């Protein structure tokens, strides 16, 4: 079957809500998935493209600060009080405690204190705690025994081989590859079962590497499939934009759907899932949705509701909904006298943004598939512009891109449907519809 171009853009009526309440925000705290601490803003590397580095405007000044245990203790006590009194929506509530930086292993004493303190607290009914960390692996050899003992899930930063890793330099401008690679190999050979189960890789794509080379290197050396991330294009200083553009490398421009290893290389499986589920027109994420009589409404853009996934506590005690957004969007503070978090005010802040940006969304063809975070929009507090705004031709290109992938790689289609609760017969009918009516 030849791949045809879609003549008319896909359109589905999307019903937005533009207001949330204090109760909505509190519900997200009850069912919080992750509490992440910025243990320090210090780092033993100065990676050229670092999100907290020389290219970006979206972070507080880095002053080599280290979080005090009392900040961590106050937010832990605040949340544990909520969790003890209010059961989560799931039969077992899993909460991840995340360690972030800077380089989190520079403040290992605080990790000892946080985990030790949580282990002394009375158990929260039907709740389990797990731990994860993002690290550059430079200090991995010193602390790997503890990481193994506590079964801390690791996301290791490695951009590929030595040349691919060459933007990740230390403060003497030396490539950090040799040290990181040696430590990762040591962890792999010392604790092989732990390594297989709890260790993952993140590689940043830039002009000195490519998707295929990264995947092949990580697979060959560590038998892992690397998660690949593009450089963040938001918040770059205007006077550094040309230099940034030279370094930036797009994932889509780097992969070919005809590549025999495309299914392993393809990095946007969540985007494909979003596409398939929307095109299906009959799916649900939870069984409870089947008994709801009202049509589900969604917030404008693909922005997470406040604390829907996590709370991020900066080294300065700021409370943010995520570590990825501009730190000026503070929702509260952890201070000496306790936690300052006004949930009603948080709801009002989000509602005001929703009402403002919904005017942009209603005219956008991308709205059924939108994954744009509103905190990555230009001038959110002023004359807002959305970088993902799509016209009719944009959505035609978008649908044809994913349809081509589904047509050439049906296994990816099957994997994406595993995330939906659909019968086998209906899944098959969706695929036939995509082939007959779209391709």
């Amino acid at each position: 079957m030849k791949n045809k171009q879609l003549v008319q853009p896909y359109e589905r009526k999307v019903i937005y809500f533009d207001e949330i309440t204090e109760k909505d925000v509190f519900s997200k705290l009850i069912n919080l998935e992750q509490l992440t601490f910025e243990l320090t803003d210090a780092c033993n590397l100065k990676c050229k493209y670092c999100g907290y580095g020389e290219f970006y405007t979206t972070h507080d000044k880095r002053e080599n600060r280290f979080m005090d245990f009392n900040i961590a203790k106050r937010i832990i006590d605040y949340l544990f009080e909520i969790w003890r009194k209010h059961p989560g929506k799931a039969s077992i509530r899993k909460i991840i405690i995340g360690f972030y930086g800077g380089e989190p292993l520079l403040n290992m004493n605080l990790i000892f204190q946080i985990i030790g303190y949580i282990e002394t607290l009375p158990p929260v009914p039907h709740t389990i705690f797990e731990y994860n960390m993002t690290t550059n692996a430079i200090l991995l050899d010193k602390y790997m025994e503890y990481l193994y003992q506590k079964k801390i899930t690791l996301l290791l930063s490695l951009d590929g081989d030595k040349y691919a890793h060459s933007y990740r330099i230390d403060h003497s401008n030396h490539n950090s590859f040799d040290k990181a690679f040696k430590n990762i190999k040591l962890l792999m050979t010392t604790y092989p079962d732990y390594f297989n189960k709890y260790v993952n890789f993140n590689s940043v794509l830039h002009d000195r590497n490519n998707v295929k080379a990264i995947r092949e290197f990580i697979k060959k050396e560590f038998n892992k499939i690397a998660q690949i991330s593009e450089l963040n294009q938001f918040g770059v200083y205007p006077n550094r934009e040309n230099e940034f553009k030279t370094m930036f490398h797009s994932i889509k421009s780097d992969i070919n759907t005809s590549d025999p290893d495309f299914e392993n290389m393809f990095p946007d499986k969540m985007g494909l899932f979003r596409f398939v589920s929307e095109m299906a027109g009959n799916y649900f994420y939870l069984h409870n949705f089947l008994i709801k009589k009202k049509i589900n409404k969604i917030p404008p853009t693909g922005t997470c509701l406040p604390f829907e996934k996590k709370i991020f506590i900066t080294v300065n005690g700021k409370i943010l909904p995520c570590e990825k957004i501009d730190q000026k969007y503070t929702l509260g503070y952890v201070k000496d006298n306790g936690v300052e978090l006004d949930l009603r005010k948080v709801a009002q802040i989000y509602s005001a943004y929703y009402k403002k940006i919904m005017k942009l969304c209603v005219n956008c063809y991308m709205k059924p598939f939108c994954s744009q975070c509103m905190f990555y929009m230009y001038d959110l507090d002023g004359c807002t512009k959305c970088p993902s705004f799509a016209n009719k031709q944009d959505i035609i290109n978008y649908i044809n891109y994913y349809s081509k992938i589904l047509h050439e790689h049906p296994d990816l289609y099957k994997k994406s449907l595993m995330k939906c609760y659909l019968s086998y017969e209906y899944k098959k009918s969706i695929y036939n519809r995509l082939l007959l009516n779209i391709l």
Side-chain angles (χ1 to χ4, degrees):
M1 183 181 297
K2 294 184 178 180
N3 187 42
K4 301 176 183 178
Q5 290 291 306
L6 186 69
V7 177
Q8 292 296 327
Y10 168 79
E11 293 187 63
R12 180 176 71 80
K13 186 175 182 180
V14 173
I15 302 177
Y16 289 125
F17 62 77
D18 61 3
E19 188 171 3
I20 59 173
T21 66
E22 178 181 358
K23 183 179 178 181
D24 295 326
V25 181
F26 188 67
S27 173
K28 299 306 178 185
L29 287 181
I30 293 172
N31 297 286
L32 186 70
E33 297 179 9
Q34 184 163 340
L35 167 61
T36 299
F37 296 100
E38 183 184 39
L39 302 181
T40 176
D41 62 5
C43 190
N44 43 15
L45 299 183
K46 56 170 188 176
C47 303
K48 184 74 172 176
Y49 53 67
C50 178
Y52 298 113
E54 59 193 55
F55 280 120
Y56 297 100
T57 66
T58 55
H59 54 81
D60 292 341
K61 184 178 179 181
R62 315 310 276 176
E63 298 179 317
N64 292 327
R65 298 190 63 179
F66 290 78
M67 180 181 286
D68 183 79
F69 172 65
N70 287 325
I71 289 180
K73 181 180 182 298
R74 290 185 189 101
I75 191 66
I76 290 171
D77 290 343
Y78 173 87
L79 291 170
F80 265 66
E81 184 69 15
I82 293 173
W83 296 333
R84 288 193 190 99
K85 294 180 178 178
H86 303 276
K89 63 183 179 182
S91 57
I92 298 295
R93 177 170 46 190
K94 184 175 77 170
I95 299 169
I96 296 172
I97 307 298
F99 303 119
Y100 198 74
E103 170 50 45
L105 291 178
L106 288 173
N107 199 2
M108 194 67 193
N109 285 337
L110 182 54
I111 296 175
F112 295 151
Q113 289 177 296
I114 290 174
I115 294 179
Y117 180 64
I118 290 175
E119 290 177 342
T120 66
L121 293 173
V124 179
H126 310 293
T127 302
I128 59 174
F129 294 91
E130 297 179 358
Y131 303 94
N132 72 15
M133 177 189 301
T134 301
T135 175
N136 58 33
I138 299 302
L139 296 174
L140 197 57
D141 54 332
K142 293 185 177 182
Y143 301 114
M144 65 179 185
E145 182 178 358
Y146 181 83
L147 301 175
Y148 158 74
Q149 290 174 350
K150 298 301 180 181
K151 299 296 184 285
I152 298 175
T153 299
L154 300 179
L155 184 63
L156 304 179
S157 301
L158 194 72
D159 289 353
D161 63 20
K162 190 166 185 175
Y163 177 70
H165 198 75
S166 57
Y167 281 130
R168 300 185 62 81
I169 56 176
D170 62 22
H171 290 271
S172 298
N173 294 321
H174 296 141
N175 190 335
S176 65
F177 175 84
D178 289 340
K179 179 64 173 175
F181 184 81
K182 180 181 177 181
N183 284 347
I184 297 170
K185 281 291 187 181
L186 180 62
L187 179 66
M188 181 181 178
T189 56
T190 306
Y191 303 109
D193 292 339
Y194 167 75
F195 188 89
N196 289 336
K197 186 174 181 180
Y198 293 95
V199 175
N200 300 292
F201 287 83
N202 180 66
S203 302
V204 177
L205 189 66
H206 46 71
D207 62 332
R208 295 182 181 178
N209 60 12
N210 63 73
V211 171
K212 186 174 182 179
I214 292 170
R215 289 285 171 90
E216 290 179 348
F217 180 83
I218 300 296
K219 180 67 175 178
K220 175 178 176 291
E221 296 292 343
F222 306 107
N223 197 31
K224 297 279 186 175
I225 302 297
Q227 167 187 311
I228 297 179
S229 305
E230 289 182 349
L231 296 174
N232 178 17
Q233 300 182 67
F234 184 79
V236 178
Y237 281 106
N239 63 340
R240 304 299 298 273
E241 285 183 354
N242 289 336
E243 185 181 358
F244 176 84
K245 288 178 181 178
T246 300
M247 186 182 296
F248 181 82
H249 196 51
S250 167
I251 290 176
K252 284 186 178 181
S253 68
D254 206 35
I255 58 177
N256 192 318
T257 59
S258 62
D259 192 299
D261 195 36
F262 176 81
E263 290 180 17
N264 288 327
M265 293 171 58
F266 185 60
D268 189 23
K269 292 182 175 62
M270 282 306 299
L272 187 65
F273 162 62
R274 187 183 302 108
F275 172 77
V276 171
S277 60
E278 287 295 336
M279 293 299 290
N282 184 13
Y283 71 97
F284 57 98
Y285 291 103
L286 297 173
H287 286 92
N288 288 344
F289 286 10
L290 291 175
I291 60 176
K292 292 181 69 173
K293 295 182 179 180
K294 295 182 179 179
I295 297 176
N296 290 318
K297 295 183 178 181
I298 62 172
T301 75
T303 310
C304 304
L305 294 175
F307 313 129
E308 182 174 18
K309 293 184 178 179
K310 68 176 67 173
I311 283 183
F312 180 59
I313 310 299
T314 75
V315 69
N316 300 314
K318 288 184 175 181
I319 299 175
L320 295 164
C322 179
E323 76 278 4
K324 296 179 181 179
I325 70 172
D326 194 321
Q327 294 186 357
K328 70 182 181 182
Y329 296 115
T330 304
L331 299 180
Y333 299 89
V334 184
K335 295 186 175 181
D336 292 339
N337 59 346
V339 175
E340 295 183 3
L341 183 59
D342 186 334
L343 302 187
R344 180 176 297 179
K345 183 177 179 182
V346 171
Q348 290 172 346
I349 291 171
Y350 271 69
S351 297
Y353 284 140
Y354 290 157
K355 291 174 182 178
K356 180 178 184 180
I357 62 181
M358 194 165 64
K359 298 174 183 177
L360 299 174
C361 296
V362 293
N363 295 314
C364 177
Y365 280 88
M366 186 61 73
K367 52 181 173 287
F369 310 100
C370 183
S371 62
Q372 175 68 45
C373 175
M374 67 183 182
F375 294 108
Y376 277 69
M377 288 183 169
Y378 302 115
D379 196 13
L380 183 57
D381 294 312
C383 186
T384 306
K385 294 182 180 179
C386 179
S388 298
F389 185 88
N391 59 28
K392 184 178 291 189
Q393 187 58 51
D394 292 330
I395 198 63
I396 291 174
N397 295 339
Y398 171 87
I399 291 176
N400 280 315
Y401 171 76
Y402 282 107
S403 298
K404 185 173 187 287
I405 291 173
L406 291 173
H407 178 64
E408 296 181 0
H409 300 276
D411 283 347
L412 276 177
Y413 165 77
K414 295 174 185 176
K415 290 176 183 177
S416 69
L417 283 182
M418 292 300 291
K419 298 179 181 293
C420 289
Y421 293 103
L422 296 170
S423 69
Y424 172 80
E425 290 78 12
Y426 191 67
K427 291 177 182 179
K428 188 174 180 180
S429 73
I430 299 170
Y431 186 49
N432 290 335
R433 176 188 169 193
L434 287 168
L435 289 178
L436 296 174
N437 298 334
I438 298 176
L439 301 178

